[in-house]
Amino acid sequence: MAAALPAPRWLPAAAALLWACCGLAATDGIQDQAEQFFRSGHTNNWAVLVCTSRFWFNYRHVANTLSVYRSVKRLGIPDSHIVLMLADDMACNPRNPKPATVFSHKNMELNVYGDDVEVDYRSYEVTVENFLRVLTGRIPPSTPRSKRLLSDDRSNILIYMTGHGGNGFLKFQDSEEITNVELADAFEQMWQKRRYNELLFIIDTCQGASMYERFYSPNIMALASSQVGEDSLSHQPDLGIGVHLMDRYTFYVLEFLEEIHPASQTNMNDLFQVCPRSLCVSTPGHRTDLFHRDPQNVLITDFFGSVRKVEITTQTVALDPNLVGLETRVPSDEMATEPLKYAEQLPVAQIIHQMVSTHTGT
Amino acid sequence: MLLFAQFQLTVPVSVVFAKGALPGAQWRRLPFTDTQEEESLLNPKTSVTARYETTYRSATATEQAALAMATVQEADAELLPLQEDSVGALTVYVIPETSLLLPQGIGVYVGKHRSAVMRRTQGPGDVLAAISDRVRQIVQAMSFTTDSITTALSDRVPMDQLGTDTRRPFKSSLGYEITFSLLNPDPKSHDVHWDIEAAVNSYVQPFLDKLGSVANFSVDSQILYYAVLGVSPRFDKASSSFILSALSLPHVINPVEARLGSSATSLYPVLNFLLYVPERVHSPLYIQDKDGAAVGTNAFHSPRWGGIMVYNIDHPAPDKAPLPLRVDVDMVRVMEVFLAQLRLLFGISQVPLPEEFLLESPGNKGLTDWELDRLLWTRTVENIATVSTTLTSLAQLLDKIGNIVIKDDVASEVYHAVASAQTAMLELASGRLGSAFQASKEAVTSSERAFFDPSLLHLLYFPDDQKFAIYIPLFLPMAVPILLSLVKILREAKQSKKEPMKTD
């Protein structure tokens, strides 16, 4: 039924066409790279970083969270878009031999506490209820802006949680826990109100993979430091400080992130390879079935950084300055202020004068 | 279950014929009304029906006099008081082919308000049928098209069908905060002054006043010293100037944003407009686009964030002027760019129209009435869709957690939201855009308040298995001896009943 076309006749034409297309595609390839920005569809980035354990021996959890905070800030997300929740204060803990520092490498190489840490929820404010309120947006009206997650439908959100966990739960503050079902429901509530465009969930606890098992909302990618039944181990103790400084998984993630700069094109597949079993002892896991894009196309900076989409402004509005004078300005009701000066706290001259007059009086 | 899925949008149109625009036979048919509908199906559950209620009539004497004026701009100004001044209603004036009102080569003139003037199309035959296509094109340009409504309902449309235009404008919100910042990285060399208050009052405030029905706006301004861009510009020998290439632009914003500090107080989305005066050693600084060409406005903007403009200063010879050099910023040039960016960020984009359309520029107001109408149409539809999804998901939440307690004020907000949304749908169907928009805004406010009420946190409502998990370990160990002793008592009671029988 298919007519047997003479092969030599159309073959060079087709080859030429294909070659021309390839040539076009090559020049378009560079344009595609630049347009790739628009593929992810997000216009702003948020990060919610949670450390859930208190007490001095859980120093490593605070160090974990602060090192992710540091990387995220370095790659461009501003403090106004980061909700940092630390359950305990390690830097100013009375047991800290080096006050106002939190180290992540032994021999005190890297101080992740830095100079401009902005902690939004601190100490006893880090509870399951507050965490869920932040995620779902059901916050009392008196909450200040820095404590809110004001994301919209074009926000990519990074959620990082660390602490002690088990099969299906994460312990908060040694007194309560959040289950994977509650977390999945919270994400679904976020999706219903379109409070995120894409969500990256990273968890560094024992049996972390159990926390992402129950997710059912779209556009979520999840990473965990260990599978169900495995423990996540800590990295190295520092003999000077006396506690373990970091967890293994986050330590290697931090090393990986130190190589990333705002313009880098590293994708998520590289992040999945971070910390193989030989280094981490536990097996890190990830979940991408709910994510609509291929991890190969997802840049690290889509979640960890804040690379803005930019368009050149080509149009202007024609304004006529002459018309402005015709409209009368509404007189603003300003009160004429005279220069003020402080009242004299201790009118010495007056007192002396009074004393002199009373003296002379008597 | 999806509420408010069938949208009916009615546009009242008046087509006014000037003398000589219609042949005699058809002239006698006037006035009459015709209604046409166009339905488009976005997804199996959502459909949008556009109804055009067109009234054809002849021009009155005053209108005829106005259409006989010298230029079409004057005619437009004269005709304004004669139109019905309601939001969403449009008027199209048809003038004969021989009229000189419209310049050569121009078939349609779209004015600053809600009217357009079109030349009757060539050819004999039924003029009304001939012009109906052109009238439809004009009306769609001035109100809404299927594309613009699809964009508004972007939640219900699969993502790959949307263009990049959907990501640029801000979502419908009750208020916006606009911040103008002047960045002076080199105060030692430049003493920059800008009369921002006058500029805002003259150019920005009229624009915001026109948008006053859409949202609340608050404007503030600041000057930042020693704020540098995150990228060092390259020196280009050919033009002996410094260049910021298009690829480095995305990295410019972040280091500056931390210093802007504008988002401390309000919960509304913030638009930032930055005016950057480059350092003396980096002057002049030009922005290049992807193809390497210099950008005329020297400005760029970021979707849902704001815009940045680079303002170059002429430096006289070093020995002539002492440092710091006093600079008075030309606010007109700056505001022209900022207003254009503001329009884009609100989704007021240029509508692609054929060559023979002449669009009147909005002038100092920054926004024409029909552009405002376009915004209102899409915002109303977007608001109603948002209310629908919010209330649906709230209902699903309540289904899932059976023992959730709905407070009275939450319930009243929900009722109010539903009632307002129904009003909005009715007003849209009757063609009253202004009241439809107000009703939709109220509906959104109520539904958001109901959905985000702090008492609806599902953590506060214990699922049944948690209740069992708490009470069973408490009561089961206690219950065992109680039950056993109850059994013993019953057995003894039975025994004692049996005994009198036994002795016999």
Side-chain angles (χ1 to χ4, degrees):
Chain A
M1 179 184 59
L5 297 158
R9 204 122 30 110
W10 57 262
L11 193 58
L17 194 65
L18 204 63
W19 194 75
C21 285
C22 284
L24 263 171
T27 47
D28 268 2
I30 303 167
Q31 197 176 26
D32 264 356
Q33 276 273 306
E35 308 293 2
Q36 197 199 31
F37 281 139
F38 270 111
R39 249 189 260 162
S40 66
H42 72 278
T43 59
N44 54 14
N45 284 80
W46 283 81
V48 179
L49 310 174
V50 185
C51 159
T52 58
S53 11
R54 52 176 33 246
F55 305 131
W56 171 246
F57 49 83
N58 289 323
Y59 183 102
R60 59 188 184 282
H61 296 139
V62 173
N64 287 349
T65 317
L66 284 174
S67 39
V68 176
Y69 172 78
R70 185 178 170 278
S71 309
V72 147
K73 261 181 86 159
R74 185 178 57 85
L75 289 172
I77 304 187
D79 269 318
S80 53
H81 285 230
I82 303 179
V83 178
L84 179 62
M85 304 170 81
L86 296 180
D88 201 359
D89 182 10
M90 298 305 168
C92 300
N93 195 305
R95 292 170 73 170
N96 191 348
K98 299 273 181 201
T101 60
V102 173
F103 292 108
S104 65
H105 285 57
K106 74 172 179 196
N107 300 327
M108 304 181 203
E109 282 166 17
L110 181 59
N111 174 17
V112 289
Y113 199 63
D115 290 329
D116 56 350
V117 173
E118 194 185 287
V119 183
D120 301 305
Y121 286 84
R122 56 193 69 183
S123 187
Y124 290 106
E125 292 169 0
V126 179
T127 58
V128 175
E129 184 185 330
N130 281 348
F131 176 62
L132 289 180
R133 283 195 191 281
V134 164
L135 285 186
T136 54
R138 300 204 165 101
I139 281 188
S142 57
T143 319
R145 189 183 170 117
S146 61
K147 284 187 166 177
R148 291 179 188 246
L149 179 65
L150 293 168
S151 54
D152 54 30
D153 63 317
R154 290 272 153 247
S155 307
N156 275 9
I157 308 185
L158 165 73
I159 298 186
Y160 175 83
M161 301 183 77
T162 183
H164 288 288
N167 189 355
F169 67 91
L170 172 61
K171 184 175 76 159
F172 266 70
Q173 300 264 16
D174 220 25
S175 61
E176 52 181 1
E177 63 207 24
I178 186 173
T179 56
N180 48 9
V181 173
E182 283 171 356
L183 196 57
D185 285 341
F187 287 161
E188 177 64 16
Q189 289 285 299
M190 288 174 80
W191 175 249
Q192 289 285 329
K193 269 312 267 178
R194 297 291 184 278
R195 277 165 67 79
Y196 67 88
N197 175 38
E198 290 169 351
L199 205 128
L200 177 65
F201 177 74
I202 304 183
I203 185 157
D204 188 352
T205 62
C206 304
Q207 308 195 50
S210 64
M211 289 304 282
Y212 62 64
E213 274 173 1
R214 299 294 198 104
F215 292 164
Y216 54 95
S217 316
N219 291 356
I220 302 185
M221 192 189 293
L223 282 109
S225 58
S226 54
Q227 302 293 333
V228 177
E230 287 180 350
D231 288 338
S232 285
L233 302 179
S234 58
H235 191 57
Q236 333 146 307
D238 179 287
L239 299 176
I241 298 186
V243 284
H244 286 262
L245 294 182
M246 283 272 273
D247 278 331
R248 281 179 190 240
Y249 182 71
T250 311
F251 182 82
Y252 290 108
V253 166
L254 175 64
E255 268 191 8
F256 172 81
L257 288 176
E258 291 286 306
E259 314 270 314
I260 310 282
H261 56 92
S264 63
Q265 300 285 310
T266 329
N267 57 36
M268 277 295 164
N269 276 342
D270 302 325
L271 186 59
F272 294 157
Q273 311 301 325
V274 159
C275 208
R277 200 192 164 91
S278 53
L279 287 172
C280 254
V281 185
S282 58
T283 318
H286 54 91
R287 181 176 176 179
T288 53
D289 57 317
L290 294 167
F291 207 72
H292 66 105
R293 288 193 289 153
D294 187 7
Q296 183 79 27
N297 294 333
V298 182
L299 301 177
I300 299 284
T301 48
D302 278 350
F303 290 102
F304 285 91
S306 177
V307 182
R308 303 249 178 209
K309 319 291 179 271
V310 155
E311 290 172 351
I312 307 278
T313 311
T314 46
Q315 309 157 357
T316 54
V317 172
L319 291 174
D320 188 357
N322 301 323
L323 282 177
V324 172
L326 301 173
E327 296 150 22
T328 51
R329 256 186 67 180
V330 177
S332 47
D333 44 354
E334 278 181 35
M335 294 187 300
T337 48
E338 41 189 65
L340 305 166
K341 48 187 193 339
Y342 281 109
E344 286 229 38
Q345 299 291 329
L346 190 63
V348 177
Q350 243 182 319
I351 293 173
I352 294 179
H353 184 76
Q354 262 178 349
M355 278 172 53
V356 166
S357 61
T358 48
H359 257 283
T360 52
T362 45
Chain B
M1 183 242 324
L2 201 61
L3 327 161
F4 308 122
Q6 323 291 335
F7 289 95
Q8 194 177 54
L9 307 167
T10 304
V11 186
V13 182
S14 305
V15 181
V16 181
F17 290 95
K19 225 179 285 204
L22 268 190
Q26 297 178 17
W27 189 267
R28 281 186 280 277
R29 282 176 59 193
L30 300 177
F32 67 97
T33 312
D34 180 35
T35 306
Q36 286 165 333
E37 291 196 2
E38 220 177 77
E39 180 167 345
S40 49
L41 205 63
L42 291 180
N43 64 41
K45 290 195 218 133
T46 315
S47 72
V48 176
T49 311
R51 263 179 90 218
Y52 302 102
E53 278 179 358
T54 322
T55 313
Y56 297 90
R57 64 178 173 84
S58 54
T60 61
T62 24
E63 285 174 340
Q64 196 63 42
L67 286 170
M69 303 206 79
T71 64
V72 68
Q73 281 85 355
E74 288 174 22
D76 194 40
E78 281 289 316
L79 287 166
L80 176 60
L82 301 169
Q83 296 161 13
E84 33 172 295
D85 185 31
S86 72
V87 181
L90 298 170
T91 317
V92 180
Y93 297 96
V94 185
I95 53 175
E97 296 153 27
T98 47
S99 165
L100 296 170
L101 190 60
L102 291 175
Q104 276 289 3
I106 300 289
V108 179
Y109 166 83
V110 178
K112 257 198 257 190
H113 306 286
R114 294 186 172 95
S115 61
V117 180
M118 70 175 266
R119 204 195 293 273
R120 176 201 139 168
T121 47
Q122 297 285 359
D126 192 0
V127 178
L128 290 167
I131 63 167
S132 68
D133 274 342
R134 180 56 75 86
V135 168
R136 172 71 61 86
Q137 199 182 24
I138 297 173
V139 168
Q140 281 191 342
M142 291 171 78
S143 58
F144 58 88
T145 58
T146 322
D147 283 338
S148 64
I149 298 295
T150 313
T151 318
L153 292 171
S154 58
D155 283 352
R156 303 194 189 177
V157 173
M159 210 168 87
D160 35 345
Q161 285 180 17
L162 299 173
T164 52
D165 277 349
T166 58
R167 284 180 229 120
R168 196 192 299 123
F170 276 89
K171 276 276 173 196
S172 172
S173 157
L174 294 165
Y176 297 92
E177 196 184 299
I178 302 179
T179 307
F180 291 99
S181 310
L182 173 65
L183 302 176
N184 186 359
D186 198 7
K188 286 201 277 280
S189 313
H190 302 136
D191 179 23
V192 188
H193 291 256
W194 69 343
D195 192 5
I196 185 71
E197 217 177 311
V200 163
N201 283 336
S202 325
Y203 304 117
V204 180
Q205 202 55 44
F207 179 77
L208 297 180
D209 286 338
K210 207 146 185 187
L211 285 176
S213 59
V214 175
N216 296 327
F217 291 96
S218 75
V219 183
D220 35 68
S221 67
Q222 59 180 343
I223 305 184
L224 291 174
Y225 294 104
Y226 293 107
V228 290
L229 300 179
V231 179
S232 4
R234 264 187 319 112
F235 183 69
D236 181 39
K237 278 213 190 72
S239 54
S240 72
S241 59
F242 287 85
I243 302 289
L244 272 179
S245 71
L247 290 174
S248 57
L249 291 177
H251 310 295
V252 165
I253 297 180
N254 285 326
V256 180
E257 186 171 5
R259 305 239 358 230
L260 289 175
S262 56
S263 47
T265 46
S266 97
L267 298 175
Y268 292 141
V270 182
L271 285 88
N272 292 299
F273 292 99
L274 274 56
L275 185 65
Y276 182 72
V277 178
E279 301 133 314
R280 198 190 164 81
V281 297
H282 282 147
S283 285
L285 180 62
Y286 295 111
I287 299 179
Q288 258 183 10
D289 62 10
K290 283 192 304 252
D291 309 316
V295 174
T297 56
N298 222 15
F300 62 99
H301 58 271
S302 177
R304 300 216 182 171
W305 183 80
I308 298 186
M309 176 174 173
V310 178
Y311 188 85
N312 288 315
I313 303 174
D314 295 322
H315 291 100
D319 48 346
K320 289 230 184 96
L323 296 177
L325 181 69
R326 181 171 169 118
V327 179
D328 284 304
V329 177
D330 176 10
M331 292 309 296
V332 179
R333 227 181 84 205
V334 167
M335 279 302 161
E336 285 183 348
V337 174
F338 280 163
L339 271 179
Q341 290 176 339
L342 197 55
R343 280 166 55 102
L344 283 171
L345 289 170
F346 272 106
I348 305 163
S349 50
Q350 292 284 24
V351 183
L353 288 169
E355 276 290 313
E356 35 178 17
F357 275 63
L358 175 65
L359 287 173
E360 177 67 40
S361 115
N364 275 17
K365 285 266 169 85
L367 186 68
T368 58
D369 282 345
W370 56 270
E371 285 176 331
L372 177 64
D373 283 354
R374 280 183 70 90
L375 195 64
L376 288 180
W377 283 111
T378 48
R379 287 276 168 117
T380 312
V381 171
E382 190 186 327
N383 283 347
I384 297 177
T386 310
V387 169
S388 157
T389 32
T390 307
L391 292 179
T392 313
S393 76
L394 189 58
Q396 282 171 353
L397 172 70
L398 300 183
D399 277 341
K400 207 154 161 235
I401 305 177
N403 50 354
I404 212 166
V405 171
I406 302 292
K407 295 194 300 187
D408 284 339
D409 50 340
V410 175
S412 66
E413 294 286 352
V414 171
Y415 286 134
H416 185 73
V418 171
S420 301
Q422 281 169 343
T423 314
M425 291 287 271
L426 282 172
E427 297 288 302
L428 272 182
S430 336
R432 288 187 287 271
L433 181 59
S435 49
F437 179 74
Q438 291 302 325
S440 72
K441 220 164 75 154
E442 279 182 29
V444 163
T445 319
S446 294
S447 67
E448 298 278 302
R449 235 183 268 152
F451 188 87
F452 285 118
D453 190 75
S455 70
L456 289 177
L457 193 65
H458 60 273
L459 182 62
L460 306 174
Y461 304 101
F462 300 104
D464 290 327
D465 52 343
Q466 278 197 12
K467 272 193 245 182
F468 282 130
I470 293 172
Y471 291 127
I472 286 185
L474 283 176
F475 292 126
L476 196 60
M478 281 193 324
V480 170
I482 291 178
L483 279 172
L484 285 178
S485 55
L486 270 177
V487 163
K488 197 164 158 206
I489 291 173
L490 282 173
R491 219 185 292 157
E492 278 179 11
K494 253 195 235 170
Q495 282 247 331
S496 62
K497 255 199 227 161
K498 271 196 196 153
E499 285 219 345
M501 285 167 58
K502 245 188 171 171
T503 46
D504 276 357

